[in-house]
Amino acid sequence: MIKSMTGYGTGIKNLANGKYTVEIKSLNSKFLELNLKLPKAFSDKEFFLRNECSKLLERGKVMLSINAETTDSNLKAATINKDLLKHYFSELQMVAKELGQREDELLSAAINLPEVIKYDESSVSEEEWKLVLEAFYASIDSFQKFRADEGAVLEKDLTERIQTILNLMEMVVKEEPNRVPAIREKLNNMLSDAVGKEKVDQNRLEQELIYYIDKLDITEEKVRLKSHCDYFIETLKNKDANGKKLGFISQEIGREINTMGSKANDANIQRYVVGMKEELEKIKEQLLNVL
């Protein structure tokens, strides 16, 4: 079973005087990129949380935030550095005038600049940390379920697209017997126009025709394409399936389709090959979102 690289999960633990909420979001990424947004009281726990995320979340651009809503004196006080805020605001006004930009959003921008707001926070107790950990692991479970559900949708879509490629290959198989008579007629007409029908050496023509048809034979490509598609589906359903491996298999599928197209020498077969390429491009786009 595959999983989506995008995901969302939350975990909430209620307190007598508030609650802790842990939220996890992820987007596509080749590697694991962690961005943690923690209250200052949890800054000493960042290393632990990063290690746990690295073990549990595999790949993706992951954003984890912990929000503390409590009336506890340990996590409530905040002060604004008014002088620094005025300085930032004045500087932003000058820049806005120079650039000819509007000034209506400058205050909110200035408030979010470093050291403007300071929180009076102390470290949390062990009991509170246990609650936060419970919320953290609950958010992980919710997040993984989201990824699995999205993965099931992706698996269905990818399976259907691979089947479409196989169906188009069957159309190629049905169309292929018409190629040899068409090639024979084309060569006969070319030679007849060039040297005259009575001067055509039929034995030599048959030899050349066999050589020409052998060069255009796509039997190996059809066999390999079928094998790669079957392997793709097998890997898709494997419990250890991953997007990178599926990506490598899709590259092999693409090679066989391209070779088949270059050898086709037939307008109808080329149309089916173009259809295969379209489906494969959609498969590659979807694989970017597979874990």
Side-chain angles (χ1 to χ4, degrees):
M1 294 289 291
I2 60 172
K3 292 182 180 179
S4 170
M5 207 180 306
T6 58
Y8 178 80
T10 58
I12 299 173
K13 277 294 173 181
N14 292 312
L15 303 169
N17 53 359
K19 66 179 179 179
Y20 287 115
T21 303
V22 180
E23 183 180 58
I24 303 177
K25 303 175 185 176
S26 73
L27 300 173
N28 300 351
S29 177
K30 290 183 178 180
F31 311 100
L32 178 62
E33 300 178 51
L34 283 175
N35 180 19
L36 274 59
K37 184 179 179 182
L38 310 175
K40 190 175 180 181
F42 297 96
S43 57
D44 62 324
K45 309 296 185 183
E46 180 174 347
F47 184 73
F48 173 84
L49 292 172
R50 284 188 177 276
N51 281 342
E52 287 298 287
C53 288
S54 297
K55 289 188 290 185
L56 299 171
L57 303 183
E58 300 177 72
R59 287 196 295 150
K61 187 174 183 180
V62 178
M63 291 143 281
L64 182 146
S65 64
I66 297 178
N67 183 44
E69 298 177 31
T70 177
T71 57
D72 194 299
S73 60
N74 288 333
L75 286 165
K76 68 176 183 179
T79 57
I80 296 177
N81 188 329
K82 295 179 182 178
D83 292 336
L84 185 59
L85 176 60
K86 291 176 183 178
H87 173 73
Y88 280 146
F89 186 76
S90 175
E91 292 292 315
L92 289 171
Q93 278 185 314
M94 292 174 59
V95 174
K97 288 178 181 178
E98 291 177 7
L99 298 177
Q101 299 296 311
R102 296 170 58 184
E103 300 182 16
D104 48 352
E105 299 293 330
L106 295 185
L107 183 59
S108 61
I111 286 177
N112 288 313
L113 289 172
E115 303 299 323
V116 172
I117 298 179
K118 292 186 177 181
Y119 294 94
D120 180 17
E121 297 175 322
S122 59
S123 59
V124 294
S125 66
E126 283 300 314
E127 290 74 16
E128 287 178 306
W129 174 235
K130 286 179 181 178
L131 289 175
V132 172
L133 269 184
E134 289 178 16
F136 169 73
Y137 288 119
S139 71
I140 292 287
D141 291 341
S142 172
F143 177 81
Q144 298 289 32
K145 184 179 184 305
F146 188 104
R147 276 186 161 182
D149 291 344
E150 289 292 302
V153 175
L154 285 172
E155 181 178 337
K156 182 176 182 295
D157 182 75
L158 290 169
T159 301
E160 290 174 353
R161 295 193 184 281
I162 288 292
Q163 188 57 54
T164 299
I165 290 176
L166 290 172
N167 292 341
L168 289 168
M169 190 184 74
E170 289 300 315
M171 300 301 292
V172 170
V173 171
K174 291 178 181 178
E175 194 69 37
E176 194 177 5
N178 300 326
R179 284 202 308 162
V180 175
I183 293 170
R184 178 182 281 108
E185 182 181 357
K186 182 179 178 181
L187 288 176
N188 249 322
N189 292 338
M190 290 174 60
L191 288 170
S192 297
D193 292 342
V195 300
K197 188 173 183 179
E198 66 282 353
K199 294 183 179 181
V200 175
D201 185 339
Q202 291 298 324
N203 289 331
R204 181 63 184 274
L205 175 61
E206 288 298 322
Q207 290 175 0
E208 293 296 327
L209 186 61
I210 291 171
Y211 175 79
Y212 189 58
I213 291 173
D214 184 62
K215 290 292 183 183
L216 299 180
D217 183 64
I218 57 174
T219 301
E220 290 185 9
E221 285 72 22
K222 290 185 297 182
V223 171
R224 286 197 294 262
L225 178 57
K226 175 69 164 58
S227 176
H228 293 327
C229 287
D230 290 344
Y231 186 42
F232 187 98
I233 297 297
E234 178 188 330
T235 303
L236 197 61
K237 296 182 181 300
N238 193 300
K239 64 178 182 179
D240 297 323
N242 63 78
K244 288 182 179 179
K245 185 174 182 178
L246 291 169
F248 295 145
I249 300 172
S250 70
Q251 289 176 12
E252 296 302 317
I253 291 174
R255 289 191 183 94
E256 302 308 328
I257 292 174
N258 289 333
T259 306
M260 191 181 295
S262 65
K263 287 185 174 184
N265 199 36
D266 181 272
N268 291 329
I269 291 179
Q270 285 286 7
R271 281 197 287 270
Y272 297 134
V273 167
V274 169
M276 292 183 203
K277 289 181 177 180
E278 288 177 345
E279 290 301 311
L280 185 61
E281 282 304 306
K282 292 172 184 176
I283 286 171
K284 288 180 177 178
E285 288 177 9
Q286 292 285 48
L287 288 179
L288 294 175
N289 195 35
V290 175
L291 194 60

